[in-house]
Amino acid sequence: MDEDDEARDSAPGQARTAAGATPAEAPPDETAASRAGRGPVETLLSGAAYVVVGVLGGVVGLLGSYSQGWTAGDVPAASIVLIAVVFATVRLSGWGMGGRIGATVPAVVWGIVVFVMSTRRPEGDLVVPATLSGYVYIIGGMLAAVLGVARVPAAGPPGQWLLGRAARNRG
């Protein structure tokens, strides 16, 4: 029996919680304040974690920009390995943060860092040149970042952000 069947079986006007109990039978540790939102400490820790994964994306982009030129003959071996590193960074950040925003932050920071490193400076210098290694790193890294974000499951049910509904547990 799923949650929808339980809701139909309950008396009209008597809502059930995620555990299947009516609000009168709800566990005493689950108060309205704990369901309403987070406290300032949790918000601060969450923000700090997003900063950490953003810095991680920037470090991966910076180190990758400087090392993407290493080749094994004509094969851009370092670029190929760095694509896997970008995917792993984005995917694991999303998994660790529990949603796609956690995966998007390092992906966007990585993209900004690589874009800046591939633009020509007034002196004529640039870190990521227009070579096969550079193109493989930039294009492959962007594809890896997008795939990494797409592979992270959404934090809530589809349409939650649009309808403003509370998330349901999927079991």
Side-chain angles (χ1 to χ4, degrees):
M1 188 188 280
D2 64 305
E3 292 178 17
D4 295 332
D5 293 334
E6 290 175 0
R8 274 186 257 129
D9 292 341
S10 66
Q14 201 173 39
R16 293 194 170 268
T17 61
T22 60
E25 302 168 6
D29 60 332
E30 186 180 10
T31 62
S34 67
R35 288 188 308 257
R38 299 185 195 185
V41 173
E42 290 87 4
T43 303
L44 181 67
L45 288 175
S46 179
Y50 281 113
V51 168
V52 168
V53 295
V55 168
L56 178 65
V59 168
V60 168
L62 189 66
L63 294 177
S65 294
Y66 280 108
S67 61
Q68 53 78 32
W70 299 343
T71 60
D74 291 337
V75 178
S79 295
I80 295 169
V81 170
L82 289 168
I83 290 169
V85 170
V86 169
F87 177 79
T89 301
V90 170
R91 176 71 172 92
L92 291 175
S93 294
W95 174 75
M97 294 299 293
R100 288 189 180 141
I101 299 284
T104 304
V105 169
V108 168
V109 173
W110 175 86
I112 291 170
V113 167
V114 170
F115 175 75
V116 168
M117 299 303 279
S118 66
T119 57
R120 193 172 298 275
R121 296 181 37 157
E123 300 87 19
D125 299 342
L126 68 142
V127 177
V128 182
T131 62
L132 178 63
S133 296
Y135 286 130
V136 167
Y137 176 62
I138 292 171
I139 295 170
M142 284 191 284
L143 291 174
V146 168
L147 286 174
V149 171
R151 295 285 301 153
V152 174
Q160 173 188 356
W161 63 273
L162 181 62
L163 300 175
R165 294 185 182 162
R168 280 181 31 189
N169 290 340
R170 293 186 179 181

CSV table of all heavy atoms in Angstrom, one decimal, residues 78-135:
chain,number,residue,atom,x,y,z
A,78,ALA,N,46.3,13.6,-21.1
A,78,ALA,CA,46.0,14.4,-19.9
A,78,ALA,C,44.6,15.0,-20.0
A,78,ALA,O,43.8,15.0,-19.0
A,78,ALA,CB,47.0,15.5,-19.7
A,79,SER,N,44.2,15.5,-21.2
A,79,SER,CA,42.9,16.0,-21.4
A,79,SER,C,41.8,15.0,-21.2
A,79,SER,O,40.8,15.2,-20.6
A,79,SER,CB,42.7,16.6,-22.8
A,79,SER,OG,43.6,17.7,-22.9
A,80,ILE,N,42.1,13.7,-21.6
A,80,ILE,CA,41.1,12.7,-21.5
A,80,ILE,C,40.9,12.3,-20.0
A,80,ILE,O,39.8,12.1,-19.5
A,80,ILE,CB,41.5,11.5,-22.3
A,80,ILE,CG1,41.4,11.8,-23.8
A,80,ILE,CG2,40.6,10.2,-22.0
A,80,ILE,CD1,42.0,10.8,-24.8
A,81,VAL,N,42.0,12.2,-19.3
A,81,VAL,CA,42.0,11.9,-17.9
A,81,VAL,C,41.3,13.1,-17.1
A,81,VAL,O,40.5,12.8,-16.2
A,81,VAL,CB,43.4,11.7,-17.3
A,81,VAL,CG1,43.4,11.6,-15.8
A,81,VAL,CG2,44.0,10.4,-17.9
A,82,LEU,N,41.6,14.3,-17.5
A,82,LEU,CA,41.0,15.5,-16.8
A,82,LEU,C,39.5,15.5,-17.1
A,82,LEU,O,38.7,16.0,-16.2
A,82,LEU,CB,41.6,16.7,-17.3
A,82,LEU,CG,43.0,16.9,-16.8
A,82,LEU,CD1,43.7,18.1,-17.5
A,82,LEU,CD2,43.0,17.2,-15.3
A,83,ILE,N,39.0,15.0,-18.2
A,83,ILE,CA,37.5,15.0,-18.4
A,83,ILE,C,36.9,14.0,-17.4
A,83,ILE,O,35.8,14.3,-16.9
A,83,ILE,CB,37.3,14.5,-19.9
A,83,ILE,CG1,37.7,15.6,-20.9
A,83,ILE,CG2,35.8,14.1,-20.1
A,83,ILE,CD1,37.7,15.1,-22.3
A,84,ALA,N,37.5,12.9,-17.2
A,84,ALA,CA,37.0,12.0,-16.1
A,84,ALA,C,37.1,12.6,-14.8
A,84,ALA,O,36.1,12.4,-14.0
A,84,ALA,CB,37.8,10.7,-16.2
A,85,VAL,N,38.1,13.4,-14.5
A,85,VAL,CA,38.2,14.1,-13.2
A,85,VAL,C,37.1,15.1,-13.0
A,85,VAL,O,36.4,15.3,-12.0
A,85,VAL,CB,39.6,14.8,-13.0
A,85,VAL,CG1,39.6,15.7,-11.8
A,85,VAL,CG2,40.6,13.7,-12.9
A,86,VAL,N,36.8,15.8,-14.1
A,86,VAL,CA,35.7,16.8,-14.1
A,86,VAL,C,34.3,16.1,-13.8
A,86,VAL,O,33.5,16.6,-13.0
A,86,VAL,CB,35.6,17.7,-15.4
A,86,VAL,CG1,34.3,18.5,-15.5
A,86,VAL,CG2,36.8,18.5,-15.5
A,87,PHE,N,34.1,15.0,-14.5
A,87,PHE,CA,32.8,14.3,-14.3
A,87,PHE,C,32.7,13.8,-12.9
A,87,PHE,O,31.7,13.9,-12.2
A,87,PHE,CB,32.8,13.1,-15.3
A,87,PHE,CG,31.5,12.3,-15.1
A,87,PHE,CD1,30.3,12.7,-15.6
A,87,PHE,CD2,31.6,11.1,-14.4
A,87,PHE,CE1,29.2,11.9,-15.4
A,87,PHE,CE2,30.5,10.3,-14.1
A,87,PHE,CZ,29.3,10.7,-14.6
A,88,ALA,N,33.8,13.2,-12.4
A,88,ALA,CA,33.8,12.7,-11.0
A,88,ALA,C,33.6,13.8,-10.0
A,88,ALA,O,32.8,13.6,-9.0
A,88,ALA,CB,35.1,11.9,-10.7
A,89,THR,N,34.2,14.9,-10.2
A,89,THR,CA,34.1,16.1,-9.3
A,89,THR,C,32.6,16.5,-9.2
A,89,THR,O,32.1,16.7,-8.1
A,89,THR,CB,35.0,17.2,-9.7
A,89,THR,OG1,36.4,16.8,-9.7
A,89,THR,CG2,34.9,18.4,-8.7
A,90,VAL,N,32.0,16.7,-10.4
A,90,VAL,CA,30.7,17.2,-10.5
A,90,VAL,C,29.7,16.2,-9.9
A,90,VAL,O,28.8,16.5,-9.1
A,90,VAL,CB,30.3,17.6,-11.9
A,90,VAL,CG1,28.8,17.9,-12.1
A,90,VAL,CG2,31.1,18.8,-12.4
A,91,ARG,N,29.8,14.9,-10.3
A,91,ARG,CA,28.9,13.9,-9.9
A,91,ARG,C,29.0,13.7,-8.4
A,91,ARG,O,28.0,13.6,-7.7
A,91,ARG,CB,29.2,12.6,-10.6
A,91,ARG,CG,28.4,11.4,-10.2
A,91,ARG,CD,27.0,11.5,-10.6
A,91,ARG,NE,26.3,10.3,-10.4
A,91,ARG,CZ,25.6,10.0,-9.3
A,91,ARG,NH1,25.5,10.9,-8.3
A,91,ARG,NH2,24.9,8.9,-9.2
A,92,LEU,N,30.2,13.6,-7.8
A,92,LEU,CA,30.4,13.3,-6.4
A,92,LEU,C,30.0,14.5,-5.6
A,92,LEU,O,29.5,14.4,-4.4
A,92,LEU,CB,31.8,12.9,-6.1
A,92,LEU,CG,32.2,11.6,-6.6
A,92,LEU,CD1,33.7,11.3,-6.4
A,92,LEU,CD2,31.4,10.5,-6.0
A,93,SER,N,30.2,15.7,-6.1
A,93,SER,CA,29.7,16.9,-5.4
A,93,SER,C,28.2,16.9,-5.3
A,93,SER,O,27.6,17.3,-4.2
A,93,SER,CB,30.2,18.2,-6.0
A,93,SER,OG,31.6,18.3,-6.0
A,94,GLY,N,27.5,16.6,-6.3
A,94,GLY,CA,26.1,16.5,-6.3
A,94,GLY,C,25.6,15.4,-5.4
A,94,GLY,O,24.6,15.6,-4.7
A,95,TRP,N,26.2,14.3,-5.4
A,95,TRP,CA,25.9,13.2,-4.5
A,95,TRP,C,26.1,13.6,-3.0
A,95,TRP,O,25.2,13.4,-2.2
A,95,TRP,CB,26.7,12.0,-4.8
A,95,TRP,CG,26.4,10.8,-3.9
A,95,TRP,CD1,25.4,10.0,-3.8
A,95,TRP,CD2,27.3,10.4,-2.9
A,95,TRP,NE1,25.5,9.1,-2.8
A,95,TRP,CE2,26.7,9.3,-2.2
A,95,TRP,CE3,28.6,10.8,-2.4
A,95,TRP,CZ2,27.3,8.7,-1.1
A,95,TRP,CZ3,29.2,10.2,-1.4
A,95,TRP,CH2,28.6,9.1,-0.7
A,96,GLY,N,27.2,14.2,-2.8
A,96,GLY,CA,27.5,14.7,-1.4
A,96,GLY,C,26.6,15.7,-0.9
A,96,GLY,O,26.2,15.8,0.3
A,97,MET,N,26.2,16.7,-1.8
A,97,MET,CA,25.3,17.8,-1.3
A,97,MET,C,23.8,17.3,-1.4
A,97,MET,O,23.0,18.1,-0.9
A,97,MET,CB,25.5,19.0,-2.2
A,97,MET,CG,26.9,19.6,-2.1
A,97,MET,SD,27.2,20.2,-0.4
A,97,MET,CE,26.1,21.5,-0.3
A,98,GLY,N,23.5,16.2,-2.1
A,98,GLY,CA,22.2,15.7,-2.1
A,98,GLY,C,21.2,16.3,-3.1
A,98,GLY,O,20.0,16.3,-3.0
A,99,GLY,N,21.8,16.9,-4.2
A,99,GLY,CA,20.9,17.5,-5.2
A,99,GLY,C,21.7,18.0,-6.4
A,99,GLY,O,23.0,18.1,-6.4
A,100,ARG,N,21.0,18.5,-7.4
A,100,ARG,CA,21.6,19.0,-8.6
A,100,ARG,C,22.3,20.3,-8.4
A,100,ARG,O,23.2,20.7,-9.1
A,100,ARG,CB,20.6,19.1,-9.7
A,100,ARG,CG,20.2,17.7,-10.2
A,100,ARG,CD,19.4,17.8,-11.5
A,100,ARG,NE,19.0,16.4,-11.9
A,100,ARG,CZ,17.9,16.1,-12.4
A,100,ARG,NH1,16.9,17.0,-12.5
A,100,ARG,NH2,17.7,14.8,-12.7
A,101,ILE,N,21.8,21.1,-7.4
A,101,ILE,CA,22.5,22.4,-7.2
A,101,ILE,C,23.9,22.1,-6.7
A,101,ILE,O,24.9,22.8,-7.1
A,101,ILE,CB,21.7,23.2,-6.1
A,101,ILE,CG1,20.3,23.5,-6.6
A,101,ILE,CG2,22.5,24.5,-5.8
A,101,ILE,CD1,20.2,24.6,-7.6
A,102,GLY,N,24.1,21.1,-5.9
A,102,GLY,CA,25.5,20.8,-5.4
A,102,GLY,C,26.4,20.3,-6.6
A,102,GLY,O,27.6,20.4,-6.5
A,103,ALA,N,25.8,19.8,-7.6
A,103,ALA,CA,26.6,19.4,-8.8
A,103,ALA,C,26.8,20.6,-9.7
A,103,ALA,O,27.8,20.7,-10.4
A,103,ALA,CB,25.9,18.3,-9.5
A,104,THR,N,25.8,21.5,-9.8
A,104,THR,CA,25.9,22.6,-10.7
A,104,THR,C,27.0,23.6,-10.3
A,104,THR,O,27.6,24.2,-11.1
A,104,THR,CB,24.5,23.3,-10.8
A,104,THR,OG1,23.6,22.3,-11.2
A,104,THR,CG2,24.6,24.4,-11.8
A,105,VAL,N,27.1,23.8,-9.0
A,105,VAL,CA,28.1,24.8,-8.5
A,105,VAL,C,29.5,24.6,-9.0
A,105,VAL,O,30.1,25.4,-9.6
A,105,VAL,CB,28.0,25.0,-6.9
A,105,VAL,CG1,29.1,25.8,-6.4
A,105,VAL,CG2,26.6,25.6,-6.5
A,106,PRO,N,30.1,23.3,-8.7
A,106,PRO,CA,31.4,23.1,-9.2
A,106,PRO,C,31.5,23.1,-10.7
A,106,PRO,O,32.6,23.5,-11.3
A,106,PRO,CB,31.9,21.8,-8.6
A,106,PRO,CG,30.6,21.1,-8.3
A,106,PRO,CD,29.6,22.2,-8.0
A,107,ALA,N,30.5,22.7,-11.4
A,107,ALA,CA,30.5,22.7,-12.9
A,107,ALA,C,30.6,24.1,-13.4
A,107,ALA,O,31.3,24.4,-14.4
A,107,ALA,CB,29.2,22.0,-13.4
A,108,VAL,N,29.8,25.0,-12.9
A,108,VAL,CA,29.8,26.4,-13.3
A,108,VAL,C,31.1,27.1,-13.0
A,108,VAL,O,31.7,27.8,-13.8
A,108,VAL,CB,28.6,27.2,-12.7
A,108,VAL,CG1,28.7,28.7,-13.0
A,108,VAL,CG2,27.3,26.7,-13.3
A,109,VAL,N,31.6,26.9,-11.8
A,109,VAL,CA,32.9,27.5,-11.4
A,109,VAL,C,34.0,26.9,-12.3
A,109,VAL,O,34.9,27.7,-12.8
A,109,VAL,CB,33.2,27.3,-9.9
A,109,VAL,CG1,34.6,27.7,-9.6
A,109,VAL,CG2,32.1,28.0,-9.1
A,110,TRP,N,34.0,25.6,-12.6
A,110,TRP,CA,35.0,25.0,-13.5
A,110,TRP,C,34.9,25.7,-14.8
A,110,TRP,O,35.9,26.1,-15.4
A,110,TRP,CB,34.7,23.5,-13.6
A,110,TRP,CG,35.6,22.9,-14.6
A,110,TRP,CD1,36.9,22.4,-14.4
A,110,TRP,CD2,35.4,22.7,-16.0
A,110,TRP,NE1,37.4,21.9,-15.6
A,110,TRP,CE2,36.5,22.1,-16.6
A,110,TRP,CE3,34.3,23.0,-16.9
A,110,TRP,CZ2,36.6,21.8,-17.9
A,110,TRP,CZ3,34.4,22.7,-18.2
A,110,TRP,CH2,35.6,22.1,-18.7
A,111,GLY,N,33.7,25.9,-15.4
A,111,GLY,CA,33.5,26.5,-16.7
A,111,GLY,C,34.0,27.9,-16.7
A,111,GLY,O,34.7,28.4,-17.7
A,112,ILE,N,33.8,28.7,-15.7
A,112,ILE,CA,34.3,30.1,-15.6
A,112,ILE,C,35.8,30.1,-15.6
A,112,ILE,O,36.4,30.9,-16.3
A,112,ILE,CB,33.7,30.8,-14.4
A,112,ILE,CG1,32.2,31.0,-14.6
A,112,ILE,CG2,34.3,32.1,-14.1
A,112,ILE,CD1,31.4,31.5,-13.4
A,113,VAL,N,36.4,29.3,-14.8
A,113,VAL,CA,37.9,29.3,-14.6
A,113,VAL,C,38.5,28.9,-16.0
A,113,VAL,O,39.4,29.5,-16.4
A,113,VAL,CB,38.3,28.3,-13.5
A,113,VAL,CG1,39.8,28.0,-13.6
A,113,VAL,CG2,37.9,28.9,-12.2
A,114,VAL,N,37.9,27.8,-16.6
A,114,VAL,CA,38.5,27.4,-17.9
A,114,VAL,C,38.3,28.5,-19.0
A,114,VAL,O,39.2,28.7,-19.8
A,114,VAL,CB,37.9,26.0,-18.3
A,114,VAL,CG1,38.3,25.7,-19.7
A,114,VAL,CG2,38.4,25.0,-17.3
A,115,PHE,N,37.2,29.1,-19.0
A,115,PHE,CA,37.0,30.2,-19.9
A,115,PHE,C,38.0,31.3,-19.7
A,115,PHE,O,38.5,31.8,-20.7
A,115,PHE,CB,35.5,30.8,-19.8
A,115,PHE,CG,35.3,31.9,-20.7
A,115,PHE,CD1,35.1,31.8,-22.0
A,115,PHE,CD2,35.2,33.2,-20.1
A,115,PHE,CE1,34.8,32.9,-22.8
A,115,PHE,CE2,35.0,34.3,-20.9
A,115,PHE,CZ,34.8,34.2,-22.3
A,116,VAL,N,38.2,31.7,-18.5
A,116,VAL,CA,39.2,32.8,-18.2
A,116,VAL,C,40.6,32.4,-18.6
A,116,VAL,O,41.3,33.1,-19.2
A,116,VAL,CB,39.1,33.2,-16.7
A,116,VAL,CG1,40.3,34.1,-16.3
A,116,VAL,CG2,37.8,33.9,-16.4
A,117,MET,N,40.9,31.1,-18.4
A,117,MET,CA,42.2,30.6,-18.7
A,117,MET,C,42.4,30.4,-20.2
A,117,MET,O,43.6,30.3,-20.6
A,117,MET,CB,42.5,29.3,-18.0
A,117,MET,CG,42.5,29.4,-16.5
A,117,MET,SD,43.6,30.6,-15.8
A,117,MET,CE,45.1,29.6,-15.8
A,118,SER,N,41.4,30.4,-21.0
A,118,SER,CA,41.5,30.2,-22.4
A,118,SER,C,41.4,31.5,-23.2
A,118,SER,O,41.5,31.5,-24.4
A,118,SER,CB,40.4,29.2,-22.9
A,118,SER,OG,39.2,29.8,-22.8
A,119,THR,N,41.2,32.6,-22.5
A,119,THR,CA,41.2,33.9,-23.2
A,119,THR,C,42.6,34.5,-23.2
A,119,THR,O,43.4,34.3,-22.3
A,119,THR,CB,40.2,34.9,-22.5
A,119,THR,OG1,40.6,35.1,-21.1
A,119,THR,CG2,38.8,34.4,-22.6
A,120,ARG,N,42.8,35.2,-24.3
A,120,ARG,CA,44.2,35.8,-24.5
A,120,ARG,C,44.3,37.1,-23.7
A,120,ARG,O,43.4,37.9,-23.6
A,120,ARG,CB,44.3,36.2,-26.0
A,120,ARG,CG,45.7,36.5,-26.4
A,120,ARG,CD,45.9,36.6,-27.9
A,120,ARG,NE,45.6,35.4,-28.6
A,120,ARG,CZ,46.5,34.4,-28.8
A,120,ARG,NH1,47.7,34.5,-28.3
A,120,ARG,NH2,46.1,33.4,-29.5
A,121,ARG,N,45.4,37.2,-23.0
A,121,ARG,CA,45.8,38.4,-22.2
A,121,ARG,C,46.3,39.5,-23.1
A,121,ARG,O,46.7,39.2,-24.2
A,121,ARG,CB,46.8,38.0,-21.1
A,121,ARG,CG,46.2,37.0,-20.2
A,121,ARG,CD,47.2,36.6,-19.1
A,121,ARG,NE,47.9,37.8,-18.7
A,121,ARG,CZ,48.6,38.0,-17.6
A,121,ARG,NH1,48.5,37.1,-16.7
A,121,ARG,NH2,49.3,39.1,-17.4
A,122,PRO,N,46.4,40.7,-22.6
A,122,PRO,CA,47.0,41.8,-23.4
A,122,PRO,C,48.4,41.5,-23.9
A,122,PRO,O,48.9,42.0,-25.0
A,122,PRO,CB,47.0,43.0,-22.5
A,122,PRO,CG,46.0,42.7,-21.5
A,122,PRO,CD,45.9,41.2,-21.3
A,123,GLU,N,49.2,40.7,-23.1
A,123,GLU,CA,50.6,40.3,-23.5
A,123,GLU,C,50.6,39.3,-24.6
A,123,GLU,O,51.6,39.0,-25.1
A,123,GLU,CB,51.4,39.8,-22.3
A,123,GLU,CG,51.5,40.8,-21.2
A,123,GLU,CD,50.3,40.7,-20.2
A,123,GLU,OE1,49.6,39.7,-20.2
A,123,GLU,OE2,50.1,41.7,-19.5
A,124,GLY,N,49.4,38.7,-24.9
A,124,GLY,CA,49.4,37.6,-25.9
A,124,GLY,C,49.4,36.2,-25.3
A,124,GLY,O,49.4,35.2,-26.0
A,125,ASP,N,49.5,36.1,-24.0
A,125,ASP,CA,49.6,34.8,-23.3
A,125,ASP,C,48.2,34.2,-23.1
A,125,ASP,O,47.2,34.9,-23.0
A,125,ASP,CB,50.2,34.9,-22.0
A,125,ASP,CG,51.7,35.5,-22.1
A,125,ASP,OD1,52.2,35.4,-23.1
A,125,ASP,OD2,52.2,35.9,-21.0
A,126,LEU,N,48.1,32.9,-23.1
A,126,LEU,CA,47.0,32.2,-22.7
A,126,LEU,C,47.4,30.8,-22.2
A,126,LEU,O,48.4,30.3,-22.7
A,126,LEU,CB,45.9,32.1,-23.8
A,126,LEU,CG,46.2,31.2,-25.0
A,126,LEU,CD1,44.9,30.5,-25.4
A,126,LEU,CD2,46.6,32.1,-26.1
A,127,VAL,N,46.6,30.2,-21.3
A,127,VAL,CA,47.0,29.0,-20.7
A,127,VAL,C,46.4,27.8,-21.5
A,127,VAL,O,47.1,26.8,-21.7
A,127,VAL,CB,46.5,28.9,-19.3
A,127,VAL,CG1,46.8,27.6,-18.6
A,127,VAL,CG2,47.1,30.0,-18.5
A,128,VAL,N,45.2,27.9,-22.0
A,128,VAL,CA,44.6,26.8,-22.7
A,128,VAL,C,44.6,27.2,-24.2
A,128,VAL,O,43.8,28.0,-24.6
A,128,VAL,CB,43.2,26.5,-22.3
A,128,VAL,CG1,42.6,25.3,-23.1
A,128,VAL,CG2,43.1,26.2,-20.8
A,129,PRO,N,45.6,26.7,-25.0
A,129,PRO,CA,45.7,27.1,-26.4
A,129,PRO,C,44.7,26.5,-27.3
A,129,PRO,O,44.0,25.5,-26.9
A,129,PRO,CB,47.1,26.7,-26.8
A,129,PRO,CG,47.4,25.5,-25.9
A,129,PRO,CD,46.6,25.8,-24.6
A,130,ALA,N,44.6,26.9,-28.5
A,130,ALA,CA,43.6,26.4,-29.5
A,130,ALA,C,44.3,25.2,-30.2
A,130,ALA,O,44.6,25.2,-31.4
A,130,ALA,CB,43.2,27.4,-30.5
A,131,THR,N,44.6,24.2,-29.4
A,131,THR,CA,45.2,22.9,-30.0
A,131,THR,C,44.2,21.8,-29.7
A,131,THR,O,43.2,22.0,-29.1
A,131,THR,CB,46.5,22.6,-29.2
A,131,THR,OG1,46.3,22.4,-27.9
A,131,THR,CG2,47.5,23.7,-29.4
A,132,LEU,N,44.6,20.6,-30.2
A,132,LEU,CA,43.7,19.5,-30.0
A,132,LEU,C,43.5,19.2,-28.5
A,132,LEU,O,42.4,18.9,-28.1
A,132,LEU,CB,44.3,18.2,-30.7
A,132,LEU,CG,43.5,16.9,-30.5
A,132,LEU,CD1,42.2,17.0,-31.1
A,132,LEU,CD2,44.3,15.7,-31.1
A,133,SER,N,44.6,19.3,-27.7
A,133,SER,CA,44.5,19.1,-26.3
A,133,SER,C,43.5,20.1,-25.6
A,133,SER,O,42.7,19.8,-24.8
A,133,SER,CB,45.8,19.2,-25.6
A,133,SER,OG,46.7,18.2,-26.1
A,134,GLY,N,43.7,21.3,-26.1
A,134,GLY,CA,42.8,22.4,-25.5
A,134,GLY,C,41.3,22.2,-25.9
A,134,GLY,O,40.5,22.3,-25.0
A,135,TYR,N,41.1,21.9,-27.1
A,135,TYR,CA,39.7,21.6,-27.5
A,135,TYR,C,39.1,20.4,-26.8
A,135,TYR,O,37.9,20.4,-26.4
A,135,TYR,CB,39.6,21.5,-29.0
A,135,TYR,CG,39.7,22.8,-29.8
A,135,TYR,CD1,40.6,23.0,-30.8
A,135,TYR,CD2,39.0,23.9,-29.4
A,135,TYR,CE1,40.7,24.2,-31.5
A,135,TYR,CE2,39.1,25.1,-30.0
A,135,TYR,CZ,40.0,25.3,-31.1
A,135,TYR,OH,40.1,26.5,-31.7
